[in-house]
Amino acid sequence: MRAAVLTRAGEIVLEERATPAPGPREVLVEIASVGVCGSDIHYYEHGRIGPFVVNAPLILGHESAGRVAAVGEQVTKHAVGDRVTLEPGVPCGRCEQCRAGRYNLCPDVVFFATPPVDGTFADYAVIHEDFAFTLPDSLSDDVGALMEPLSVGIWACRKAGVSAGDRVLVTGAGPIGLLVMQVALAFGATQVEISDVNETRLALAARTGATRTLVSGRDEPSTADVLIECSGHPAAVAAGIGAVRPAGVAVLVGLGPSETGELPLAKIQTQEIWVTGTFRYANTYPTAIALAANGRVDLEAIITGHYQLDSTEDALKVGREDPGSVKVMVHP
Amino acid sequence: MRAAVLTRAGEIVLEERATPAPGPREVLVEIASVGVCGSDIHYYEHGRIGPFVVNAPLILGHESAGRVAAVGEQVTKHAVGDRVTLEPGVPCGRCEQCRAGRYNLCPDVVFFATPPVDGTFADYAVIHEDFAFTLPDSLSDDVGALMEPLSVGIWACRKAGVSAGDRVLVTGAGPIGLLVMQVALAFGATQVEISDVNETRLALAARTGATRTLVSGRDEPSTADVLIECSGHPAAVAAGIGAVRPAGVAVLVGLGPSETGELPLAKIQTQEIWVTGTFRYANTYPTAIALAANGRVDLEAIITGHYQLDSTEDALKVGREDPGSVKVMVHP
Amino acid sequence: MRAAVLTRAGEIVLEERATPAPGPREVLVEIASVGVCGSDIHYYEHGRIGPFVVNAPLILGHESAGRVAAVGEQVTKHAVGDRVTLEPGVPCGRCEQCRAGRYNLCPDVVFFATPPVDGTFADYAVIHEDFAFTLPDSLSDDVGALMEPLSVGIWACRKAGVSAGDRVLVTGAGPIGLLVMQVALAFGATQVEISDVNETRLALAARTGATRTLVSGRDEPSTADVLIECSGHPAAVAAGIGAVRPAGVAVLVGLGPSETGELPLAKIQTQEIWVTGTFRYANTYPTAIALAANGRVDLEAIITGHYQLDSTEDALKVGREDPGSVKVMVHP
Amino acid sequence: MRAAVLTRAGEIVLEERATPAPGPREVLVEIASVGVCGSDIHYYEHGRIGPFVVNAPLILGHESAGRVAAVGEQVTKHAVGDRVTLEPGVPCGRCEQCRAGRYNLCPDVVFFATPPVDGTFADYAVIHEDFAFTLPDSLSDDVGALMEPLSVGIWACRKAGVSAGDRVLVTGAGPIGLLVMQVALAFGATQVEISDVNETRLALAARTGATRTLVSGRDEPSTADVLIECSGHPAAVAAGIGAVRPAGVAVLVGLGPSETGELPLAKIQTQEIWVTGTFRYANTYPTAIALAANGRVDLEAIITGHYQLDSTEDALKVGREDPGSVKVMVHP
């Protein structure tokens, strides 16, 4: 099979690899669509993300959908031909975190495109059958691939406890912020404001349901029950928490530039604000599929480009070079 | 002022009463629209609901909206002319339940149309300013009045923890069941099935968003994360809980015919189902207004009749006599 | 190895069996102490518990502790000689329930002494290394074995949300009720009342911390925040819920005589009581060991008898025949 | 009556004041014992705490117990002679925060010794009857007064969700830290470590139940499920959060020196730590009394000095001057 391999920072080479064989309870999936994530771009540019270092050739890509091409022994949940979306991290299922239902924090998770585990910018990938979810016919392969970033948004809204009638502030209108915004609406939020410096993205936000868009640093957000911070900018964190009502919640999704950050502690304390962050997601795929299949979110709206597998490097570059780019898809 | 007074079971008389004067922090509201609730009908027919007995003439009606006609001393939140909806129960604010945020369980609550407290089938009513909520211009008086039954639905969905992607079964398609169904959708539920024996009501349910309607006793519900029981029928309770998935929730809203009821205990225990009920609601009015103002629920859709104050008795009778009647409004 | 085998209802035969070999990530444990559970007695007497039917010879026993005698491949958490207590159910780790942290509801769990899975009334047993927990030296083998019923109590108190200063009513002073009572105290409850008809057991309850003991049917319980029902008697369920305060919680641990049961629905609804049940437990063993090791519970106090493996049948009979018997231990 | 009045920063003058008369539903309490709080000392030294500025003579003191000396109209819960402890903040009972059960965040709360509301370093004080709680005979007046700081500890443990078997790290062994530590034990925590630079206080911590004491900056804390930060030192916040396990909770009780503070955001995000603070408490007094009355906490152990009302200024000074001082009491 073909695979787009990160050979070193800044270089993607299309290589021939042996098609993997599915083991017991695993399925082989012919990949049809893969979304490019900011983490893919970061690995491509820097060869690492914090403690995760690419020391050997690595296949990137972890937002993926395709068709089951073969099944391993004991597989009961899928058959050849099933259209599926892939939850990219398979946890151990036994550790303290897994047992508690927090499998996103499993220290032994095997996660696509996280060194040294290969991802899905390739013709095929194998995955445990329980982490392949059947796609309804009404959902395209592209939408199927985007169940992954949609999961990030669902997890953030769950952590924040977003519910009907809530007022939500989303800071940062990148792919994640834009999805969080849609998800907040799908959770019933009736005031969803989103801020960014990129007015093209704000216009997209407005088209996909934002009740108000804010130019960062210029417009003041309204009081919010919940902040979901998706920019990673320290200033956005502080300003965002400033908008949260007493006893509200701030969920930090965007990773910042450094290990530590300045928070408005006096406000957090005297107003009993809850602050937390998210790391991936757990138990979100069925919800993601249900929301997409019922038209509660519009994922096609954020797709701005399509690339063939042999143009994966272009797909990784376009995000930086084109301010109008939001989410680009690679098609093996 | 005029008031439609329940003088004894089965008799409503239009009487002249002194217009009440608003005390400190109270507002006088000129009532424009009042929804007829099943409890009004029950008091009218039987003169009592369980331990609540009508021993003296009583003005019924507690789903109300209107305009502020006068304000008492120290009122700061409303001015004459404000359009408001009235949360009908004013709790003590000091007892153990109130302090814990469960003010719907306050033993000293003063609640419209609950003996001996008069309700709002009258030209005017007074209420504490904090329990009058300003209506946006986009919402009609009728819709404003229906913030009350909508609150019942919001409270049920909150108790059940309904969230995005959930599968909800609503048993009973009376006014409350129909609103619970709409609220569940507004909370993000993507499978909302509703059952009843009345096919006219099921057709209304289908028009207002039910993903499937079920004829009680004939159609099997799908597996649900949440049951919200709105019929009070013992058979519906048992069958409904039977459809709930392991670790799901059953919220019993409809009051049954007797103090006790048979539940499938073995299932509740071995599958760790949570069962509870609702009594009125707390902290729902802002959410109700936000959902209605944002078009997340369609309250006009359930209104089937309008009556003048001097026809209040007809309004109370129509529910029993016309199977097509869902929610009727009285206009003083 | 020797094993006490249930050959048919009412007959236990000591047999020679092949000592099992630990597979990958499994450990072989030389069993030192096994508590007799009501479910063992029920299988012995009736050959079934509800849908679980003993169709082939079965080794009973699932409350067990011992020493690691051999380790399989890839075992990293235990070494030969480690003293361990065994969590008797190993879930699949992949299904919807497992992923959500509710592994006690895993439909594919492999649980000791539940047909057709053999238990631990035997010289040896194998278990996944993650379900063997190291015992501190300060805890005896008997206490180690009782981590299992202690887990039942911990799970019930967690479900009920027992916290400091709570008032707890425990109905039924069998082994589980007595442990629930101690656990409630360890969770900080300051009023813990327990009821039974057996005054010997009530005396034991009083010695181990009950703030008040109640003769069932004679003494009225005080108002409680939480009911934990451990008798399975329908009358105790109804009376117990009657004692729960508004918005309180009732957790039904004891299984009753039939599939359904009569509950005080009007109270559950108008006072918004939460009712649920427990099925086994999840994530309790570390807590159980911590409570025992810190002296927060006294497990030796409930042990009333000791039997050798070849007297397992006597151990199973004594509970019925001796009203003073609470928890008896079998020692292979 | 006599009152110890803060006339300006650094000056307390004993004055004669008119004894207040209890209004409707209020009781007049003859004060027997008042604990000195850090906030009293701060007002005495600086004349302000953040936005709260002492612009006029103010009676300090808000940890108080005494006897009911007179009752106002409509009082039903207390009679003259009742021994009571006073919850010092009376919220409005009507605002959004109060209705939600978060009355500690009520913007209109009337709180003793918070400008311009006088406190209880005086012979008498009046309070709403619902905020006076009857003391059992077994609790001394001093202990009764300490229900207030005990409430701070209970609130912190509730926010943190401390439960049986938890591992808790308390940073700061001042009066609040020492009480939090005892409360954590009463909530069932089995590992409670506490850090400070003051070894006298650590010795007291060890005597009252700490499972380990840590010299700040020298000893490393063990992994904890929960951090309760009671020192306000920025270094303690960061180090404390560093010890929290994935998905653990950090509750910041101690106010720091500035409005903002540096937090380990990368850890909070990738390990999904929850961070919040506490502001006073809500619904804690019944629990506080239950814990003290049942011997679950030892409040006498932290009392290090007693002063008459005319020595209030000495009581306010001793905390700074004597490193062995923990909690001193003033007796009108």
Side-chain angles (χ1 to χ4, degrees):
Chain A
M1 70 173 193
R2 299 169 308 150
V5 180
L6 177 71
T7 50
R8 57 176 176 77
E11 185 181 77
I12 299 281
V13 177
L14 195 71
E15 298 186 358
E16 276 296 314
R17 292 283 181 96
T19 301
R25 300 212 58 197
E26 288 183 338
V27 293
L28 176 72
V29 178
E30 182 180 6
I31 303 296
S33 192
V34 187
V36 173
C37 172
S39 68
D40 296 315
I41 298 171
H42 203 281
Y43 278 125
Y44 168 65
E45 294 182 343
H46 303 286
R48 66 184 298 162
I49 296 180
F52 299 102
V53 182
V54 181
N55 291 317
L58 183 75
I59 306 174
L60 294 172
H62 63 273
E63 305 176 350
S64 1
R67 277 164 197 72
V68 174
V71 299
E73 289 173 24
Q74 302 165 38
V75 164
T76 62
K77 300 193 175 161
H78 297 293
V80 171
D82 281 5
R83 295 179 61 243
V84 292
T85 175
L86 309 188
E87 180 170 349
V90 179
C92 81
R94 297 259 176 262
C95 71
E96 182 186 340
Q97 299 298 334
C98 283
R99 285 198 210 187
R102 302 184 296 254
Y103 68 77
N104 57 315
L105 301 179
C106 171
D108 296 323
V109 67
V110 175
F111 201 99
F112 283 156
T114 302
V117 181
D118 280 328
T120 57
F121 286 145
D123 288 326
Y124 294 95
V126 293
I127 196 158
H128 190 285
E129 66 169 332
D130 285 336
F131 290 79
F133 291 83
T134 301
L135 281 175
D137 293 341
S138 62
L139 297 185
S140 70
D141 292 331
D142 286 347
V143 164
L146 297 185
M147 296 299 98
E148 205 277 345
L150 184 60
S151 285
V152 174
I154 290 168
W155 189 241
C157 286
R158 281 202 196 142
K159 280 264 166 181
V162 175
S163 188
D166 277 359
R167 299 162 299 174
V168 176
L169 172 62
V170 180
T171 47
I176 293 298
L178 287 164
L179 290 180
V180 163
M181 184 206 79
Q182 286 199 40
V183 172
L185 291 163
F187 272 64
T190 45
Q191 173 191 300
V192 184
E193 303 186 351
I194 186 165
S195 67
D196 206 301
V197 293
N198 179 329
E199 302 208 26
T200 305
R201 290 183 164 188
L202 292 181
L204 174 53
R207 284 199 303 279
T208 50
T211 58
R212 185 173 163 232
T213 60
L214 309 167
V215 175
S216 305
R218 189 191 77 188
D219 301 325
E220 283 293 306
S222 309
T223 297
D225 300 299
V226 161
L227 164 70
I228 303 182
E229 207 299 303
C230 301
S231 75
H233 287 296
V237 176
I241 293 177
V244 176
R245 68 153 167 84
V249 183
V251 175
L252 310 181
V253 178
L255 283 168
S258 57
E259 288 292 301
T260 64
E262 195 89 356
L263 292 191
L265 287 192
K267 168 160 180 165
I268 290 167
Q269 294 183 268
T270 58
Q271 298 189 7
E272 298 194 341
I273 309 289
W274 284 95
V275 179
T276 193
T278 60
F279 185 71
R280 295 168 179 165
Y281 40 77
N283 301 304
T284 52
Y285 267 66
T287 300
I289 293 169
L291 291 183
N294 283 272
R296 303 298 179 91
V297 290
D298 177 2
L299 299 172
E300 302 279 6
I302 69 162
I303 299 176
T304 52
H306 296 272
Y307 295 80
Q308 297 305 310
L309 185 62
D310 54 13
S311 304
T312 298
E313 192 157 10
D314 296 334
L316 291 166
K317 283 179 178 166
V318 71
R320 278 301 156 97
E321 293 167 4
D322 177 1
S325 173
V326 177
K327 174 61 73 180
V328 300
M329 311 301 298
V330 171
H331 302 283
Chain B
M1 69 173 195
R2 300 171 307 152
V5 181
L6 177 70
T7 49
R8 56 179 177 74
E11 183 182 79
I12 299 281
V13 177
L14 195 70
E15 298 186 358
E16 276 296 313
R17 291 282 182 98
T19 302
R25 300 211 57 197
E26 289 183 338
V27 292
L28 176 72
V29 178
E30 183 181 4
I31 303 298
S33 192
V34 188
V36 173
C37 172
S39 67
D40 296 315
I41 297 170
H42 203 282
Y43 278 125
Y44 168 65
E45 293 183 344
H46 303 285
R48 67 185 297 162
I49 296 178
F52 299 102
V53 182
V54 180
N55 290 316
L58 182 76
I59 306 174
L60 294 171
H62 63 273
E63 305 177 351
S64 2
R67 278 164 195 73
V68 173
V71 300
E73 290 173 24
Q74 302 165 38
V75 165
T76 62
K77 299 191 176 160
H78 297 294
V80 171
D82 281 7
R83 294 180 63 243
V84 292
T85 174
L86 309 189
E87 180 169 348
V90 179
C92 82
R94 297 258 176 263
C95 70
E96 183 185 340
Q97 299 297 337
C98 282
R99 286 197 210 188
R102 302 185 295 255
Y103 69 77
N104 57 315
L105 302 179
C106 171
D108 296 323
V109 67
V110 175
F111 201 98
F112 283 156
T114 303
V117 181
D118 279 328
T120 57
F121 286 146
D123 287 326
Y124 294 95
V126 293
I127 197 159
H128 190 284
E129 66 168 332
D130 285 338
F131 290 79
F133 292 82
T134 301
L135 281 175
D137 292 342
S138 63
L139 298 185
S140 69
D141 292 331
D142 285 348
V143 165
L146 297 185
M147 296 299 98
E148 206 277 346
L150 184 60
S151 285
V152 174
I154 291 168
W155 189 240
C157 286
R158 282 202 195 142
K159 280 264 166 181
V162 176
S163 189
D166 276 359
R167 301 163 297 174
V168 177
L169 171 63
V170 181
T171 46
I176 293 299
L178 287 165
L179 290 180
V180 163
M181 184 207 79
Q182 287 200 38
V183 172
L185 291 162
F187 273 63
T190 46
Q191 173 191 300
V192 184
E193 303 186 350
I194 186 165
S195 67
D196 206 302
V197 292
N198 179 329
E199 302 208 25
T200 306
R201 290 183 165 187
L202 292 180
L204 175 53
R207 284 199 304 279
T208 51
T211 58
R212 184 174 163 230
T213 60
L214 310 168
V215 175
S216 305
R218 189 191 77 187
D219 301 326
E220 282 294 306
S222 309
T223 298
D225 301 298
V226 161
L227 164 71
I228 305 183
E229 206 299 303
C230 302
S231 75
H233 286 297
V237 176
I241 293 177
V244 175
R245 69 153 167 84
V249 183
V251 176
L252 310 182
V253 179
L255 283 167
S258 57
E259 288 291 302
T260 65
E262 195 89 356
L263 292 192
L265 286 192
K267 168 159 180 166
I268 290 167
Q269 294 184 267
T270 58
Q271 298 190 6
E272 298 195 342
I273 310 289
W274 284 96
V275 179
T276 192
T278 59
F279 184 72
R280 296 170 179 163
Y281 39 77
N283 302 302
T284 52
Y285 266 67
T287 300
I289 293 169
L291 291 182
N294 284 272
R296 303 299 179 89
V297 289
D298 178 1
L299 299 173
E300 301 279 6
I302 68 161
I303 299 177
T304 51
H306 295 272
Y307 294 80
Q308 298 304 310
L309 184 62
D310 53 13
S311 304
T312 298
E313 192 157 7
D314 296 334
L316 291 166
K317 283 179 178 167
V318 72
R320 278 301 157 98
E321 294 167 2
D322 177 3
S325 173
V326 178
K327 174 61 75 178
V328 300
M329 311 302 297
V330 170
H331 303 283
Chain C
M1 69 173 194
R2 301 171 305 152
V5 181
L6 178 69
T7 50
R8 56 177 176 77
E11 183 181 78
I12 299 281
V13 177
L14 196 70
E15 297 185 357
E16 276 297 312
R17 291 284 181 95
T19 302
R25 300 211 57 198
E26 289 184 339
V27 293
L28 176 71
V29 178
E30 183 181 5
I31 304 297
S33 192
V34 188
V36 173
C37 172
S39 68
D40 297 315
I41 298 171
H42 202 282
Y43 278 124
Y44 169 65
E45 294 183 344
H46 303 285
R48 67 184 299 163
I49 297 180
F52 300 103
V53 181
V54 181
N55 291 316
L58 182 75
I59 306 174
L60 294 170
H62 63 272
E63 305 176 351
S64 2
R67 277 163 196 72
V68 174
V71 299
E73 289 172 25
Q74 303 163 38
V75 164
T76 62
K77 300 195 175 158
H78 297 292
V80 170
D82 281 5
R83 294 179 63 243
V84 292
T85 175
L86 308 189
E87 181 169 350
V90 178
C92 81
R94 297 258 175 262
C95 70
E96 181 185 340
Q97 299 298 336
C98 282
R99 286 198 210 188
R102 301 185 296 255
Y103 68 77
N104 57 315
L105 301 180
C106 172
D108 296 323
V109 66
V110 176
F111 202 99
F112 283 156
T114 303
V117 182
D118 279 329
T120 57
F121 285 146
D123 287 327
Y124 293 95
V126 293
I127 196 159
H128 190 285
E129 65 169 332
D130 286 336
F131 290 79
F133 292 82
T134 302
L135 282 175
D137 292 342
S138 62
L139 297 185
S140 69
D141 292 332
D142 286 346
V143 165
L146 297 185
M147 295 299 98
E148 205 277 346
L150 185 60
S151 285
V152 174
I154 290 168
W155 189 240
C157 285
R158 281 201 196 143
K159 281 264 166 182
V162 176
S163 188
D166 276 0
R167 301 162 298 175
V168 177
L169 172 63
V170 181
T171 46
I176 293 298
L178 287 165
L179 289 180
V180 163
M181 184 205 80
Q182 287 199 40
V183 172
L185 292 162
F187 272 63
T190 46
Q191 173 191 300
V192 184
E193 303 186 350
I194 186 165
S195 67
D196 206 300
V197 293
N198 179 327
E199 302 207 25
T200 306
R201 290 181 164 187
L202 292 180
L204 174 53
R207 284 199 304 278
T208 51
T211 58
R212 184 173 163 231
T213 60
L214 309 167
V215 175
S216 304
R218 189 191 76 187
D219 301 325
E220 282 294 305
S222 309
T223 297
D225 300 299
V226 162
L227 164 72
I228 304 182
E229 206 300 303
C230 302
S231 75
H233 286 297
V237 176
I241 293 177
V244 175
R245 68 151 167 87
V249 183
V251 175
L252 310 182
V253 179
L255 283 167
S258 57
E259 288 291 302
T260 64
E262 194 90 356
L263 292 192
L265 286 193
K267 168 159 182 167
I268 289 168
Q269 294 183 266
T270 58
Q271 299 190 6
E272 298 194 341
I273 309 289
W274 284 95
V275 179
T276 192
T278 60
F279 185 72
R280 295 169 178 162
Y281 39 76
N283 301 303
T284 52
Y285 267 66
T287 300
I289 293 169
L291 291 182
N294 283 272
R296 302 299 179 89
V297 289
D298 178 1
L299 298 172
E300 302 278 7
I302 68 161
I303 299 175
T304 51
H306 296 271
Y307 294 79
Q308 297 304 310
L309 185 62
D310 54 13
S311 304
T312 298
E313 193 157 9
D314 296 334
L316 291 166
K317 284 180 178 167
V318 70
R320 278 302 156 96
E321 294 167 3
D322 177 3
S325 173
V326 178
K327 175 62 74 178
V328 300
M329 311 302 298
V330 170
H331 303 283
Chain D
M1 71 173 193
R2 300 171 306 152
V5 180
L6 178 70
T7 49
R8 57 180 176 73
E11 184 182 79
I12 298 282
V13 177
L14 195 71
E15 298 185 358
E16 276 295 314
R17 292 280 181 99
T19 301
R25 300 211 56 196
E26 289 184 338
V27 293
L28 176 72
V29 178
E30 182 180 5
I31 304 297
S33 191
V34 187
V36 173
C37 171
S39 67
D40 296 316
I41 297 170
H42 203 281
Y43 277 125
Y44 169 65
E45 293 182 345
H46 303 286
R48 67 184 297 163
I49 295 178
F52 299 103
V53 181
V54 180
N55 291 316
L58 182 75
I59 305 174
L60 294 171
H62 62 271
E63 304 176 351
S64 0
R67 277 164 197 73
V68 174
V71 298
E73 289 173 23
Q74 303 164 36
V75 164
T76 62
K77 299 193 176 160
H78 297 294
V80 171
D82 280 7
R83 293 179 64 243
V84 292
T85 174
L86 309 188
E87 181 169 350
V90 179
C92 82
R94 298 259 176 260
C95 70
E96 182 185 339
Q97 299 297 335
C98 282
R99 285 198 211 188
R102 302 185 295 255
Y103 68 77
N104 57 315
L105 301 179
C106 171
D108 296 323
V109 67
V110 175
F111 201 99
F112 283 155
T114 302
V117 181
D118 280 328
T120 57
F121 285 146
D123 287 326
Y124 293 95
V126 293
I127 196 158
H128 190 285
E129 66 169 331
D130 285 336
F131 290 78
F133 291 82
T134 301
L135 282 175
D137 292 341
S138 62
L139 297 185
S140 69
D141 292 331
D142 285 347
V143 165
L146 297 184
M147 295 300 98
E148 206 277 345
L150 184 61
S151 285
V152 174
I154 291 167
W155 189 239
C157 286
R158 281 202 196 143
K159 281 263 166 181
V162 175
S163 188
D166 276 0
R167 300 161 299 173
V168 177
L169 171 62
V170 181
T171 48
I176 293 299
L178 288 165
L179 289 180
V180 163
M181 184 206 79
Q182 286 200 38
V183 172
L185 292 162
F187 272 64
T190 46
Q191 173 192 300
V192 185
E193 303 187 350
I194 186 165
S195 68
D196 206 302
V197 292
N198 179 327
E199 302 208 25
T200 306
R201 289 182 165 188
L202 292 180
L204 174 53
R207 284 198 304 277
T208 51
T211 57
R212 185 174 163 230
T213 60
L214 310 168
V215 175
S216 305
R218 190 191 76 188
D219 301 325
E220 283 293 307
S222 309
T223 297
D225 300 297
V226 161
L227 163 71
I228 304 183
E229 206 299 304
C230 301
S231 76
H233 286 297
V237 176
I241 293 177
V244 175
R245 67 152 167 87
V249 183
V251 175
L252 311 182
V253 178
L255 283 167
S258 57
E259 289 291 302
T260 65
E262 196 89 357
L263 292 192
L265 286 193
K267 167 159 181 166
I268 289 167
Q269 294 183 267
T270 58
Q271 298 189 7
E272 298 195 340
I273 309 289
W274 285 95
V275 179
T276 192
T278 59
F279 184 71
R280 297 170 178 162
Y281 39 76
N283 300 305
T284 52
Y285 267 67
T287 301
I289 293 169
L291 291 182
N294 283 272
R296 302 298 179 90
V297 289
D298 178 0
L299 299 172
E300 302 278 7
I302 69 161
I303 298 175
T304 53
H306 295 272
Y307 294 80
Q308 296 305 309
L309 184 62
D310 54 12
S311 304
T312 297
E313 193 156 8
D314 296 335
L316 291 166
K317 284 179 177 168
V318 71
R320 278 301 156 97
E321 294 167 3
D322 176 3
S325 173
V326 177
K327 175 61 75 179
V328 299
M329 310 303 296
V330 171
H331 304 282

